[in-house]
Amino acid sequence: RLARAFCYFLFLSGSFDYNVIFLGQLLPASGRSDMVKPLAVVFNTLWVLGLWAYVRVQIADPGKLPRKWHDFVTSAGDVLAVQQPLCAWQPGFATLCSQCNWPRPERSHHCSVCGICVMRYDHHCIWVNNCVGFNNHKYFLLIGVYCTLLTWFTFLTSALEFIPIGLKISTWIFCGADTGWSVVEAVVNTCFLIGSLCMLQLGISMCMFMKVFFTLAARNTTKVEDAMLHRIQTTFNPYDQGNMLANVSQIFGSPGLDWLLPVPPC
């Protein structure tokens, strides 16, 4: 929960730093008031979409086994082919969960944190305090898209302001030069500089996030399956649809504008 609270803090502090300090004070003071509205529209659109995706991935059912599956297993009885879980692909077969003692669909795995089996289980994410699976995988990936765009947009558009601020603070620290700022200006500018540097670090981290999880999505492989592939040293994937678009569509649904929104896949 602390990790989740920290993420909310980043969302709120980033919004304050950009909207109140940068757009509200620094940009108008430098004579660029005409840029405030367009920058505010882009920033806050990305911010709302990123927060929307973040909330959705938390509150959505990640893909626990539905009632229909339990009814199907009960009605099928011994007719249902159930295998013991192996460190290998088992397409077309249900596997028996040793913790739940109940058959689960292919690609499902047990989450030891949540205590449930999740369909197309990817991993349990401490940053959202939820599993990532069949029902919320799309929202999880959209967090990466919007937060990557948001952090780099924030960092690059504010660069013309934080670079001179950083130079002034550096000369004050190392050379003792007077910045000419009042106490309030010094606090505001220092907070803005720290926020901008945090955006740079977050932007780099989000790029790494995108590389890892979108590479897996492009191969129609989950994180737990990727770990299995490394253990058995193979690249074969029976769920590979043949191309990146088809593989990503397994998570995002049929290509359309809804890909851009944290709504259920069509």
Side-chain angles (χ1 to χ4, degrees):
R1 292 185 177 181
L2 287 176
R4 183 174 58 179
F6 178 68
C7 289
Y8 279 115
F9 169 77
L10 290 178
F11 271 106
L12 296 175
S13 62
S15 177
F16 178 85
D17 195 51
Y18 196 83
N19 285 311
V20 178
I21 298 179
F22 177 61
L23 296 181
Q25 297 187 39
L26 298 180
L27 210 56
S30 63
R32 286 179 282 187
S33 298
D34 58 317
M35 297 177 60
V36 171
K37 285 186 178 179
L39 291 180
V41 169
V42 176
F43 174 86
N44 288 290
T45 298
L46 292 173
W47 187 87
V48 168
L49 289 170
L51 183 61
W52 183 7
Y54 184 74
V55 172
R56 285 303 303 268
V57 78
Q58 284 184 67
I59 65 176
D61 167 20
K64 66 180 180 181
L65 306 187
R67 180 76 257 166
K68 287 183 178 180
W69 170 257
H70 289 273
D71 294 339
F72 167 73
V73 171
T74 302
S75 62
D78 295 336
V79 176
L80 179 64
V82 180
Q83 295 185 346
Q84 291 297 322
L86 304 172
C87 185
W89 295 112
Q90 295 175 278
F93 289 95
T95 58
L96 183 67
C97 175
S98 58
Q99 283 81 13
C100 300
N101 194 32
W102 191 258
R104 60 195 180 194
E106 56 187 298
R107 306 189 78 179
S108 300
H109 292 273
H110 187 87
C111 175
S112 58
V113 178
C114 296
I116 59 173
C117 284
V118 177
M119 296 184 294
R120 204 175 65 202
Y121 176 78
D122 190 88
H123 71 289
H124 183 91
C125 180
I126 62 169
W127 299 105
V128 300
N129 195 33
N130 198 5
C131 296
V132 177
F134 183 79
N135 289 340
N136 65 352
H137 203 162
K138 175 189 175 183
Y139 312 144
F140 179 75
L141 294 179
L142 284 178
I143 293 174
V145 173
Y146 291 126
C147 289
T148 299
L149 293 174
L150 180 64
T151 51
W152 283 107
F153 175 82
T154 302
F155 177 76
L156 294 175
T157 55
S158 60
L160 292 177
E161 294 299 326
F162 77 73
I163 290 176
I165 289 175
L167 291 175
K168 273 193 174 185
I169 292 177
S170 298
T171 55
W172 172 69
I173 293 175
F174 297 108
C175 304
D178 184 16
T179 61
W181 295 333
S182 66
V183 174
V184 174
E185 287 175 330
V187 171
V188 168
N189 290 334
T190 301
C191 289
F192 175 69
L193 178 63
I194 293 173
S196 298
L197 294 176
C198 288
M199 283 296 132
L200 174 60
Q201 179 59 52
L202 282 172
I204 294 172
S205 299
M206 294 311 300
C207 284
M208 296 171 63
F209 171 98
M210 294 281 284
K211 181 180 183 298
V212 171
F213 288 101
F214 272 88
T215 298
L216 293 176
R219 300 199 304 255
N220 197 9
T221 305
T222 64
K223 192 175 181 182
V224 69
E225 289 169 348
D226 185 60
M228 179 266 292
L229 289 175
H230 281 86
R231 284 197 297 269
I232 62 178
Q233 297 183 341
T234 182
T235 58
F236 171 70
N237 178 6
Y239 301 106
D240 188 348
Q241 302 298 303
N243 62 76
M244 183 175 66
L245 179 62
N247 283 333
V248 173
S249 296
Q250 295 287 298
I251 297 173
F252 281 77
S254 301
L257 292 177
D258 64 289
W259 274 31
L260 303 176
L261 299 173
V263 296
C266 294

